[in-house]
Amino acid sequence: MAYYYYPEVVPKKECKKFLNTCLQESNFCDGTIGTEAKLTKKRKNHVSFLEDKENMMRDMLWGFIRNANEQLFNYELSYFQPLQFSRYEYGEYYGWHQDSIIKGKERKETRKLSLSFNLTDHENYEGGYLEFYNGGDRVFNRKLREKMKLVGSVIVFDSRDWHRVTPVKKGVRYSIVCWTVGPKFI
């Protein structure tokens, strides 16, 4: 697994402003995937897409993705998808998954890079860890999962990497996620 980590790169004060703006402008819907029982076990949370074309937060986050791509991945990127504002309350989670698959018709493109930006101070919630799969029953880099609970932290990773958000045990976790799309890998 390769990733580019930006520890506490956005000041708490700015994160609080972004969070308040997102909360005011969001219309949350159920983030649960599918309607069948086996599919709904994969994810339980609430999401809202931020489509503002003049969004300063979006431009900042895309800058992190561009920088990580230049420094580490060197992928051909075509466009960015809208930001997703996520809310995880008590007991909510997102099981092991990859972001690379785009649903629908046979496509000539795929998600290439994913970004997660933590908007919530770790003192305001328990659980809700972003974790990466390392084979068997192991989680990749447990220290990283602790670091990603720091408000203002950003991580950019390959959208093919398996990852999850563990159940929130107390409080509410807010984050922004986004993806870049490019030609399918050969």
Side-chain angles (χ1 to χ4, degrees), residues 5-142:
Y5 174 62
Y6 301 89
E8 300 177 282
V9 69
V10 181
K12 279 186 180 186
K13 186 176 179 180
E14 290 301 309
C15 289
K16 194 170 191 173
K17 285 181 189 176
F18 286 143
L19 178 58
N20 289 334
T21 299
C22 289
L23 287 170
Q24 290 172 3
E25 297 178 4
S26 295
N27 292 316
F28 282 106
C29 62
D30 186 355
T32 302
I33 296 174
T35 57
E36 296 179 29
K38 69 178 188 174
L39 294 176
T40 58
K41 290 181 180 178
K42 184 172 193 135
R43 180 181 191 176
K44 183 179 180 187
N45 76 325
H46 296 85
V47 299
S48 180
F49 286 91
L50 307 174
E51 308 255 0
D52 180 4
K53 297 196 184 300
E54 299 302 321
N55 189 313
M56 184 175 68
M57 180 173 47
R58 183 195 67 196
D59 294 342
M60 175 191 68
L61 295 177
W62 288 356
F64 291 131
I65 289 177
R66 284 187 192 100
N67 180 62
N69 191 47
E70 289 172 9
Q71 299 297 319
L72 182 62
F73 299 100
N74 297 306
Y75 292 160
E76 183 180 344
L77 305 176
S78 302
Y79 63 93
F80 298 90
Q81 293 183 305
L83 302 181
Q84 179 183 280
F85 180 44
S86 298
R87 178 181 73 205
Y88 292 86
E89 296 176 327
Y90 176 79
E92 295 184 338
Y93 57 89
Y94 196 162
W96 290 114
H97 67 284
Q98 297 169 294
D99 293 336
S100 58
I101 299 170
I102 300 176
K103 303 280 187 216
K105 301 179 201 173
E106 178 61 31
R107 298 199 178 229
K108 295 179 181 176
E109 57 190 18
T110 188
R111 286 181 177 164
K112 292 205 167 176
L113 293 175
S114 298
L115 175 145
S116 182
F117 170 38
N118 185 18
L119 286 172
T120 313
D121 196 316
H122 67 281
E123 295 172 0
N124 295 334
Y125 69 99
E126 291 178 16
Y129 290 107
L130 173 63
E131 295 182 333
F132 294 90
Y133 184 65
N134 197 32
D137 61 353
R138 297 176 304 204
V139 172
F140 176 80
N141 196 339
R142 289 198 182 270

Side-chain angles (χ1 to χ4, degrees), residues 125 128-132 139-150 164 166:
Y125 69 99
Y129 290 107
L130 173 63
E131 295 182 333
F132 294 90
V139 172
F140 176 80
N141 196 339
R142 289 198 182 270
K143 290 181 181 176
L144 177 63
R145 79 180 207 150
E146 293 294 331
K147 291 178 184 178
M148 275 309 299
K149 284 194 76 172
L150 299 174
R164 71 177 176 185
T166 63

